[in-house]
Amino acid sequence: MIQNHDKVKPYSDKDLGKKEQVRLMFNNISGKYDFLNHFLSLGIDKLWRKKAVEILRKEKPLKILDVATGTGDFAMECLSLNPQEIRGVDIAEKMLDVGRQKIQKKKVEEIIRFDVGDSENLVFETGSFDAITVGFGVRNFENLEKGMEEMCRVLRTGGTLVVLEFSKPSSFPFKQAYNLYFKHVLPRIGSSISKDDRAYTYLHESVQAFPEGDQFLEVMRKSGFDREYRLKLMNGIASIYVGKKY
C-alpha cells in the first residue's frame, strides 16, 4: 500500500518525481487553495484543525513545527496555544507567500516564520521542537517513512506529533456519499476554479492510496513514535493521528 502511495502523482504526463510534481501543483493552485479548501469542505476543515490543535493544549508546547504548512492555516491555529515560536515549512514557495500575507495581516511575524523546506530533509537540529503538526500533508510525501523519521528526529523526547489527514469512511451511507463527492463532484468544481485539471483528481487518488488507520500507526511506530492512536472525524472522512517521542 505504501508503494502505491509513493507512485500516485499529480501529473502522469510529466517526467518529474512526486516531490517536484507536488511542488508544481501547489504553486499552480496557491491563489485559490484557501477558498477551495473552505468552500469544498463547507468550512469543516477549520473545525478539524481546531480539534487537532486542542489535543496539544495540555502539553503547552513552546516551540511548534508545522510541516507541509501550505498557506499556514494549521500554524495560525496553533497561535491559540500561546507558544513562543512557530515554524512552518513547505516545498511550495507560492503557498508560503499566501501564508506570509496572513502573518503580516495578523501582525504575528515575531512568533510565526515560514520557510521553504523539505519534510524528508529538515534543517533543524535534533530535538528542536516540543510539538509537530501536519495538516493534510503526509500523503503528499514522496518517501513517507523518511518524512516521518525526520519529524521524529527534530521532535524532543516527550514531544507530541499530531497529524490531520483524509481517510476513507467504511460504513453506509458515508462511504457511498464520500466516493461520489470526492471522485466526481469535487474534481469538477476544483478544476473549474483552480484551473488545474489534475489537482483535485489527485486529491482523491492520493487519499485512496494512502496507508490509513492501523497501517499509518505502524509507520509512526517504526519511525520512532510511541503511544500512537487515531481519532476518526465524521465517520472516518478524516483522521487525527497522535504519537509521542520516547
Side-chain angles (χ1 to χ4, degrees):
M1 182 66 83
I2 295 177
Q3 286 76 15
N4 290 337
H5 154 77
D6 295 339
K7 291 176 182 177
V8 173
K9 303 174 183 178
Y11 309 107
S12 58
D13 61 334
K14 296 185 184 298
D15 188 21
L16 296 170
K18 178 171 181 174
K19 189 180 301 181
E20 291 302 318
Q21 291 196 23
V22 167
R23 177 187 287 117
L24 176 62
M25 179 189 72
F26 281 113
N27 277 333
N28 284 345
I29 66 174
S30 59
K32 300 293 185 180
Y33 179 80
D34 282 341
F35 170 77
L36 281 168
N37 257 13
H38 306 325
F39 174 74
L40 293 172
S41 71
L42 303 178
I44 296 171
D45 63 308
K46 298 179 182 180
L47 299 178
W48 289 344
R49 288 188 191 89
K50 287 181 182 295
K51 189 175 184 67
V53 168
E54 197 61 31
I55 291 171
L56 292 172
R57 190 163 303 281
K58 63 181 183 299
E59 309 287 340
K60 298 181 179 179
L62 296 180
K63 294 187 176 182
I64 301 171
L65 173 64
D66 187 40
V67 175
T69 195
T71 61
D73 277 353
F74 214 157
M76 297 290 283
E77 188 62 43
C78 286
L79 285 168
S80 67
L81 300 173
N82 297 314
Q84 292 178 352
E85 179 184 11
I86 300 173
R87 299 291 295 272
V89 295
D90 199 280
I91 59 173
E93 178 66 41
K94 290 185 179 179
M95 294 282 280
L96 293 174
D97 286 342
V98 176
R100 291 181 184 117
Q101 293 174 16
K102 296 179 184 178
I103 292 174
Q104 294 170 0
K105 185 176 181 179
K106 202 172 181 66
K107 301 187 186 319
V108 289
E109 296 97 327
E110 294 183 1
I111 301 175
I112 301 182
R113 174 180 167 183
F114 293 146
D115 294 292
V116 174
D118 182 354
S119 63
E120 298 167 24
N121 187 26
L122 296 169
V123 299
F124 308 106
E125 294 183 3
T126 298
S128 296
F129 297 95
D130 303 310
I132 297 178
T133 57
V134 194
F136 307 112
V138 290
R139 64 189 160 76
N140 296 318
F141 289 2
E142 186 169 57
N143 187 320
L144 178 60
E145 294 92 337
K146 189 174 181 182
M148 297 300 295
E149 290 168 359
E150 270 291 270
M151 289 192 289
C152 187
R153 179 185 66 80
V154 302
L155 187 64
R156 69 164 174 82
T157 300
T160 303
L161 169 71
V162 176
V163 174
L164 173 61
E165 189 53 84
F166 287 115
S167 49
K168 301 181 288 290
S170 57
S171 61
F172 179 87
F174 292 96
K175 178 180 179 179
Q176 288 73 17
Y178 165 90
N179 286 331
L180 175 64
Y181 183 68
F182 266 70
K183 190 173 182 178
H184 301 289
V185 178
L186 184 147
R188 291 181 182 179
I189 298 174
S191 174
S192 65
I193 296 177
S194 71
K195 307 305 179 186
D196 187 302
D197 291 336
R198 279 289 300 162
Y200 288 88
T201 299
Y202 163 76
L203 170 59
H204 176 261
E205 294 170 352
S206 63
V207 172
Q208 291 300 307
F210 185 71
E212 64 166 314
D214 290 341
Q215 286 184 304
F216 184 64
L217 291 175
E218 181 62 22
V219 173
M220 292 177 66
R221 193 170 300 118
K222 289 181 177 178
S223 301
F225 293 97
D226 196 3
R227 291 170 56 184
E228 315 86 1
Y229 65 91
R230 173 196 189 188
L231 296 175
K232 290 185 180 182
L233 304 173
M234 289 190 67
N235 289 275
I237 291 177
S239 298
I240 299 173
Y241 300 93
V242 183
K244 286 275 192 177
K245 178 181 176 178
Y246 283 108

